[in-house]
Amino acid sequence: MSETRNYDITILGAGPAGLTAGLYAGRGGLKAAIIEKMMPGGLVANTERIDNYPGFPEGISGYELAQKMEQQTRKFGAEIISAQAENIISEGKYQLVKLSDGSTVKSRALIVATGAFPKTLGVSGEKELLGKGVSYCAVCDGAFFKNQPVAVLGGGDSAVQEAIYLAGLVSKVTVIHRRNALRAADSIQKIAFANKKIAFAWSKDILSIEGSSRVSGVRVMDKQTLKEEVIPASGAFIYVGYQPNSELVKGIVNTDQQGYIITDDKMATSLQGIYACGDVRQKLVRQISGAVGDAATAAIAAQQYLELNA
Amino acid sequence: MGMLREEDQNHLRREFSGKLVNPVKIVFFTQKLECMYCQPTEEILTEIASLSDKLILEKHDLLEDKSLVDQYGIDKIPGIALIGDRDYGVRFFGVPSGFEFTSLIEDIIDVSRGTTGLTLDSREKLKKIAKPVKIQVFITPTCPYCPAAVRMAHQAAIESDMVTAHMVESAEFPHLVQKYGVMGVPKVIINETIQFEGAQPEPVFINHILKAAE
């Protein structure tokens, strides 16, 4: 298929940022396309419970919030295209996005809202034992480890939250962290420390994930004593942070050393007509509330750009 | 009754009345004893079927209705076959709850319309398959990535007469979890020869199916 479709604005990614950008663009009367390779919702859909997004005093499941955002975006006319964006070509004042099905989406403004994805550790056993005990999704796979010991690798909000979730299912959770203190929010830490099923292995470098046909443990080295040991675990749940999904625009717009897209306060990137919002952007805090704020700015700034350069 | 909230019922009524084309038979296979999840499955299906005149719920016993069991290839319960103007090969084994409730609703709509939202490219490739393909997608109801895999498999079944696709709820069928060594979901098994973990983008998933059909 070599068909080309024309839009006023193309948005890459249908997480909270992309969906919000689509909502504002659609409501502003623009013909908007949102390109998403998976299900709309992004990382939010994979979050069991969200307690810090305003308007939901009882908290809301990530999946439900994502669905509501999608409905609201569709209501204002933005079209969600299920495809993988493979390539971006800047042609004069047009941005061409080549899709996995061979078709092209053409528009004068582009908003990059591709988010971030869970980082891998890059240790031996991680790839080989994926689906055999290595997991990046506790709510998906926790049930396979009932009454067995598991390890959670990481010390941030996600790691500790998922450790608490897993403790309800498994016999023991060992949180393995490279520092001697957690980075997670105080309120979450308190719950974890009070849970008798959760143990902590502090100041450990992770060397490998052990096991042949399935995970049997995590090999670590103590940073002070340099002593190696294998912490027994049937499952290894990895939550060591995120990395930006910015491969597509590398070389087109400026990014920082880690690959996060650099923008100004209007969410404009180094190339005219291209904006970025949400987790893919260089910033201090990556939260849903921040992503939707970014996205509103990006959509309105992009609309102004289109009007001024008509 | 009472599994669905009133606002959800109203939403589904509107969805069904706007989108259903052909009637859909929801063929439910159950058993009187020793089926923990048959009752909740029947309750969900009864509620869904009550939301549109185009939905017909049929209930059959795994042991007593042998000819239908064979016709639809049902080997475990609770089992559901969605039948539109013909049998597209869309099956659910285990209760379609949690995130999979959405898969069930979207599948009902696609089966009713006899068409899917897959790209033209994928649909053309799937139509050319000449050998039988059976896809099993293992899920847990709490897995947000799983509906994407279930839907992809079911859409492929709708687009190809050769493809049959099963959703399999892991907790209810431990012998299959054991057999295929499932420790992470979604896990997809195609014709016993190809298996992969995780939700995959459409072209990747379709290529796996084509490979199994070679």
Side-chain angles (χ1 to χ4, degrees):
Chain A
M1 205 158 51
S2 54
E3 167 205 2
T4 297
R5 284 171 279 184
N6 290 296
Y7 291 87
D8 294 321
I9 187 163
T10 308
I11 297 155
L12 302 178
L19 289 172
T20 305
L23 188 162
Y24 273 79
R27 200 157 182 259
L30 297 179
K31 191 180 175 211
I34 306 176
I35 320 274
E36 171 61 49
K37 64 175 172 176
M38 307 294 276
M39 300 245 295
L43 282 176
V44 169
N46 175 27
T47 308
E48 200 214 352
R49 190 125 212 100
I50 292 157
D51 288 318
N52 57 3
Y53 189 70
F56 299 93
E58 319 288 309
I60 183 167
S61 87
Y63 184 75
E64 198 182 344
L65 180 61
Q67 275 201 322
K68 284 182 187 288
M69 284 184 175
E70 181 191 344
Q71 280 168 18
Q72 199 172 352
T73 299
R74 286 191 194 269
K75 192 173 110 181
F76 290 113
E79 191 183 326
I80 301 177
I81 299 173
S82 176
Q84 188 157 10
E86 294 199 320
N87 201 3
I88 294 168
I89 301 161
S90 285
E91 213 178 72
K93 45 183 192 169
Y94 288 97
Q95 309 300 336
L96 277 60
V97 181
K98 300 269 179 200
L99 304 185
S100 45
D101 62 6
S103 71
T104 302
V105 171
K106 185 176 176 182
S107 60
R108 282 199 294 124
L110 179 72
I111 296 181
V112 184
T114 43
F117 58 94
K119 246 190 209 162
T120 54
L121 273 169
V123 298
S124 111
E126 184 179 18
K127 238 190 207 159
E128 296 82 350
L129 293 165
L130 178 68
K132 299 178 178 73
V134 171
S135 173
Y136 302 88
C137 178
V139 288
C140 303
D141 304 335
F144 295 106
F145 302 92
K146 270 189 187 144
N147 305 318
Q148 297 172 53
V150 301
V152 167
L153 284 46
D157 278 352
S158 306
V160 180
Q161 233 157 5
E162 301 307 318
I164 296 165
Y165 169 79
L166 286 166
L169 295 167
V170 304
S171 62
K172 184 187 177 185
V173 183
T174 308
V175 176
I176 304 174
H177 190 36
R178 62 195 158 109
R179 302 174 199 218
N180 57 10
L182 298 173
R183 275 179 297 122
D186 273 347
S187 57
I188 306 172
Q189 288 197 30
K190 271 192 195 130
I191 299 170
F193 288 138
N195 192 317
K196 289 196 176 82
K197 277 193 183 173
I198 302 177
F200 295 87
W202 302 109
S203 306
K204 300 283 187 282
D205 275 330
I206 292 153
L207 302 178
S208 62
I209 294 165
E210 300 284 308
S212 48
S213 63
R214 51 186 296 172
V215 171
S216 59
V218 180
R219 182 176 293 277
V220 299
M221 184 174 72
D222 192 280
K223 285 181 148 176
Q224 268 100 56
T225 64
L226 303 184
K227 226 178 81 187
E228 273 188 34
E229 66 171 314
V230 175
I231 296 172
S234 304
F237 290 86
I238 301 174
Y239 289 96
V240 289
Y242 296 92
Q243 62 192 83
N245 216 347
S246 59
E247 269 311 305
L248 267 178
V249 291
K250 220 160 244 178
I252 299 177
V253 302
N254 290 343
T255 56
D256 68 10
Q257 274 192 333
Q258 292 164 303
Y260 290 103
I261 298 173
I262 298 167
T263 68
D264 64 13
D265 58 359
K266 287 180 178 162
M267 307 297 141
T269 68
S270 54
L271 191 68
Q272 243 198 357
I274 302 187
Y275 297 78
C277 57
D279 283 359
V280 76
R281 190 172 80 83
Q282 183 194 56
K283 55 179 175 172
L284 176 65
V285 177
R286 294 193 168 78
Q287 291 284 311
I288 307 166
S289 49
V292 302
D294 279 6
T297 305
I300 291 167
Q303 181 154 22
Q304 285 174 356
Y305 164 80
L306 288 173
E307 283 161 4
L308 288 173
N309 297 277
Chain B
M1 293 301 259
M3 296 193 81
L4 291 174
R5 285 179 302 187
E6 201 177 317
E7 54 176 292
D8 293 332
Q9 289 187 21
N10 290 334
H11 171 72
L12 286 176
R13 259 192 213 102
R14 280 195 303 273
E15 279 283 296
F16 287 152
S17 86
K19 291 182 179 167
L20 295 186
V21 179
N22 296 313
V24 175
K25 256 198 311 187
I26 305 170
V27 190
F28 171 53
F29 291 86
T30 178
Q31 188 172 284
K32 288 188 191 93
L33 294 168
E34 289 180 2
C35 178
M36 202 175 142
Y37 292 95
C38 284
Q39 171 93 30
T41 303
E42 186 174 345
E43 282 172 21
I44 290 173
L45 296 180
T46 307
E47 277 199 37
I48 291 174
S50 75
L51 300 175
S52 166
D53 292 341
K54 290 205 165 108
L55 301 177
I56 307 123
L57 177 61
E58 267 185 24
K59 182 176 157 185
H60 299 285
D61 189 283
L62 181 76
L63 301 174
E64 289 164 14
D65 300 305
K66 206 73 192 104
S67 70
L68 279 174
V69 164
D70 290 344
Q71 182 188 333
Y72 292 131
I74 305 296
D75 58 358
K76 47 191 172 284
I77 46 163
I80 303 163
L82 296 182
I83 314 296
D85 59 349
R86 57 199 160 91
D87 181 4
Y88 292 100
V90 175
R91 305 285 184 268
F92 289 82
F93 293 99
V95 56
S97 67
F99 289 126
E100 293 312 326
F101 183 76
T102 315
S103 303
L104 178 67
I105 300 301
E106 290 178 359
D107 281 340
I108 287 174
I109 292 168
D110 280 357
V111 163
S112 172
R113 302 171 76 87
T115 177
T116 71
L118 294 182
T119 65
L120 188 62
D121 184 55
S122 300
R123 297 200 317 253
E124 281 171 356
K125 282 177 177 159
L126 287 165
K127 295 248 186 296
K128 287 185 190 143
I129 293 178
K131 268 175 35 186
V133 174
K134 177 180 161 186
I135 310 172
Q136 300 179 77
V137 183
F138 286 85
I139 61 102
T140 58
T142 47
C143 162
Y145 300 111
C146 289
V150 169
R151 285 283 293 144
M152 204 74 84
H154 282 159
Q155 285 175 306
I158 292 167
E159 295 294 347
S160 163
D161 290 339
M162 287 292 166
V163 177
T164 306
H166 298 183
M167 179 211 85
V168 184
E169 203 276 286
S170 302
E172 295 173 55
F173 305 104
H175 62 291
L176 293 176
V177 164
Q178 187 85 27
K179 177 180 172 189
Y180 294 110
V182 181
M183 296 176 82
V185 287
K187 173 145 182 162
V188 181
I189 316 272
I190 309 178
N191 277 6
E192 314 284 325
T193 51
I194 288 178
Q195 49 173 289
F196 57 91
E197 271 98 18
Q200 302 288 340
E202 181 178 323
V204 178
F205 201 114
I206 300 297
N207 277 338
H208 280 303
I209 298 174
L210 297 175
K211 212 156 186 198
E214 270 173 10

